Amino acid sequence: MSFSSLGLSEQLVRATTDQGYETPSPIQLQAIPAVLSGKDVMAAAQTGTGKTAGFTLPILQRLAENPRNGKGPRVLILTPTRELAAQVHDSVNLYSKYVPTKAAVVFGGVKINPQMMKLRKGVDVLVATPGRLMDLYQQNAVRFNEVEILVLDEADRMLDMGFIRDIKKILALLPAKRQNLLFSATFSGEIRSLAQGLLNNPVQIDVAVRNTTAENVEQSVYKVDQSQKTALLSKLVRDNSWEQVLVFTRTKHGANRLTQKLEKDGITAAAIHGNKSQGARTRALAEFKQGQVRVLVATDIAARGLDIKQLPQVVNFELPNVPEDYVHRIGRTGRAGESGHALSLVSADEGKMLAGIEKLIKKQLPRKEVEGFEPKNNLPLKPKAKADPSKARGRNGGNAGGNGRPGAKPGGRSNGRSQSGNDQRGRSGQRQSQSA
Ligand code: AMP
């Protein structure tokens, strides 16, 4: 199968060739014809599957087939984070190299005026985070009456971050007749009810098995006391000669502290989280990509949307509070067919989180110990005896925590996810401060 056999124009195929893509990824195989057909789409897909090209390429083709003269935007792509917005915008620019499409991106945390000026000039494809988009709308800087296609990218994360009200407001302002595309890594009851209200007889695409970690990522758990984690991480970076490792912490302060300690140990490191300015984040990411910084320490929200090609190694310095975040985190490695490694440093107090993760991914992770770092506080880390599945099901309305399939009966999720930090909007009063 090739991009041209999917019905894409020569100009768009040429843009993919320029990127070095040889064959469409599984999601692209399904999404491209579906979007071209004009139907609504509901796709289960994580970052790393090639979903961005999966929706962008056919959207660009539809725009080119129907040139219009308005000011736009004709396409609205909503994303949860600035980083993802910036990355999707970059992708739109890459793929539209040979077609006459104007794209713009708007997000919070930076000055609004330049964004207003850009919008005034007219735009075909607008990539936006919901909070800033609403601000711009309220200031009459953007209108939605020409929107033909709406994309909700990483819809699950948008809900987690508390954007549902802004999303609903935006939906109410869009023309009724339009094409809707919804992408989400996980499908909770909440996402399914959003989808139900939004999508009209959608084509359902389900390539990435949600809440299942990528096959090509080797995962393991290192048992270690909390107090020894930094020393162990330094040792692992050195002994394995890791030159590029993405490390996750639960909090911004944790990220800063760890970065400082690694630097003290002579390992170049940078932190990326919501308290950092956009400039600092972009710089840290660029230095990491170029190899000037060996360790990038990130919180879950900040890491969302990072696209670093062929990242070989991910470390969970702490397990995430929310099991689904584990899936997102390790999705940063083993991308686009590469193999990757993900290891988690787990201390006794994290036993419950580990159990939650293993239940979600339906897999027991192998336990390891490093000589000299054996934990004093041993954890209930032995894989638990298999629970009786008939008992497990009845509880909490749940399968293993919101991994229902699109179109499956609603099954409640057991974990509340309202705590995700939300630094994207730059509006006081609505921020939550926990992570990011
Ligand atoms: P995404 O899931 O959209 O974030 O894409 C993940 C990565 O895969 C990006 O670095 C893309 O450039 C890359 N990619 C997308 N489509 C393909 C393809 N067909 N072949 C190889 N790489 C691809």
Side-chain angles (χ1 to χ4, degrees):
M1 259 301 183
S2 65
F3 281 100
S4 52
S5 61
L6 291 175
L8 293 174
S9 70
E10 186 272 325
Q11 290 93 325
L12 292 170
V13 174
R14 192 152 25 113
T16 65
T17 315
D18 285 2
Q19 289 305 301
Y21 305 167
E22 285 165 9
T23 49
S25 69
I27 183 127
Q28 291 163 358
L29 283 176
Q30 296 192 50
I32 291 171
V35 177
L36 284 177
S37 76
K39 291 194 177 135
D40 282 3
V41 169
M42 166 151 124
Q46 290 164 227
T47 308
T49 52
K51 68 183 162 71
T52 317
F55 62 76
T56 304
L57 290 167
I59 284 176
L60 291 171
Q61 171 132 342
R62 284 176 65 75
L63 293 185
E65 280 169 359
N66 267 307
R68 294 262 159 84
N69 279 331
K71 273 201 148 182
R74 299 177 64 190
V75 179
L76 192 55
I77 302 174
L78 298 182
T79 76
T81 64
R82 315 165 192 187
E83 278 81 10
L84 184 63
Q87 186 190 308
V88 170
H89 178 240
D90 288 346
S91 298
V92 173
N93 283 336
L94 284 176
Y95 303 137
S96 63
K97 211 163 138 188
Y98 304 111
V99 291
T101 306
K102 276 186 282 180
V105 61
V106 297
F107 46 71
V110 294
K111 283 193 192 129
I112 200 166
N113 277 24
Q115 298 179 348
M116 293 175 144
M117 310 241 285
K118 179 102 202 197
L119 289 171
R120 212 164 290 149
K121 287 188 197 141
V123 53
D124 300 303
V125 179
L126 180 60
V127 188
T129 53
R132 174 55 61 96
L133 185 65
M134 271 316 286
D135 289 346
L136 284 159
Y137 177 80
Q138 275 150 8
Q139 301 190 42
N140 288 322
V142 63
R143 300 186 59 182
F144 299 125
N145 55 318
E146 291 172 50
V147 173
E148 298 161 47
I149 305 176
L150 170 75
V151 182
L152 294 187
D153 195 10
E154 305 204 346
D156 50 349
R157 188 48 73 120
M158 279 199 277
L159 297 192
D160 294 344
M161 293 178 64
F163 284 135
I164 187 67
R165 281 178 52 211
D166 282 332
I167 291 173
K168 289 203 163 144
K169 277 188 214 155
I170 294 165
L171 291 181
L173 297 167
L174 300 180
K177 190 174 168 296
R178 57 170 200 269
Q179 185 177 15
N180 301 290
L181 316 176
L182 182 144
F183 290 77
S184 189
T186 53
F187 277 84
S188 63
E190 211 185 351
I191 291 279
R192 279 195 295 269
S193 82
L194 174 70
Q196 228 163 27
L198 176 72
L199 305 173
N200 186 7
N201 195 15
V203 176
Q204 297 193 7
I205 298 176
D206 188 4
V207 282
V209 190
R210 283 171 319 290
N211 300 342
T212 315
T213 44
E215 291 283 314
N216 52 344
V217 178
E218 201 183 303
Q219 305 165 62
S220 47
V221 162
Y222 281 59
K223 302 198 277 180
V224 59
D225 285 334
Q226 186 67 42
S227 59
Q228 292 297 306
K229 282 187 176 184
T230 309
L232 177 57
L233 179 61
S234 287
K235 178 182 164 60
L236 289 169
V237 171
R238 286 229 172 72
D239 289 0
N240 296 295
S241 309
W242 289 334
E243 291 306 326
Q244 205 183 41
V245 49
L246 178 61
V247 177
F248 285 95
T249 60
R250 266 200 302 267
T251 64
K252 296 180 258 206
H253 296 297
N256 286 339
R257 256 197 321 264
L258 178 60
T259 305
Q260 285 159 10
K261 284 188 197 153
L262 289 171
E263 288 270 334
K264 255 196 200 140
D265 274 0
I267 296 171
T268 50
I272 180 166
H273 55 64
N275 277 6
K276 300 257 173 182
S277 69
Q278 188 60 31
R281 292 203 228 181
T282 310
R283 204 161 45 243
L285 184 59
E287 287 174 356
F288 181 61
K289 284 186 174 182
Q290 288 157 14
Q292 288 150 268
V293 162
R294 266 172 108 172
V295 180
L296 187 66
V297 185
T299 56
D300 289 290
I301 306 283
R304 191 77 180 181
L306 290 187
D307 180 30
I308 302 154
K309 281 212 174 105
Q310 301 173 7
L311 190 61
Q313 183 69 53
V314 166
V315 173
N316 294 309
F317 189 78
E318 290 141 340
L319 290 179
N321 288 320
V322 176
E324 280 88 346
D325 282 340
Y326 177 83
V327 178
H328 292 306
R329 286 178 177 192
I330 80 157
R332 321 308 319 179
T333 180
R335 316 198 67 186
E338 301 292 318
S339 65
H341 294 92
L343 67 85
S344 305
L345 307 183
V346 183
S347 51
D349 53 303
E350 296 175 295
K352 254 204 186 130
M353 295 177 204
L354 182 61
I357 288 164
E358 293 186 323
K359 189 175 166 207
L360 177 72
I361 64 175
K362 302 196 180 74
K363 193 155 42 181
Q364 297 288 349
L365 302 175
R367 271 67 166 161
K368 295 181 181 171
E369 280 180 8
V370 176
E371 221 186 304
F373 290 88
E374 297 87 352
K376 288 196 194 72
N377 306 308
N378 213 346
L379 32 161
L381 266 183
K382 280 220 186 85
K384 268 198 277 176
K386 274 217 173 99
D388 177 350
S390 61
K391 275 184 200 153
R393 223 172 290 134
R395 264 184 295 135
N396 245 337
N399 45 34
N403 65 340
R405 309 171 68 84
K409 278 189 213 112
R413 61 199 299 166
S414 45
N415 52 343
R417 299 189 69 181
S418 56
Q419 278 303 302
S420 308
N422 169 1
D423 64 310
Q424 307 298 324
R425 333 170 31 131
R427 292 204 227 162
S428 56
Q430 300 202 25
R431 287 187 193 199
Q432 300 167 357
S433 58
Q434 185 222 4
S435 64

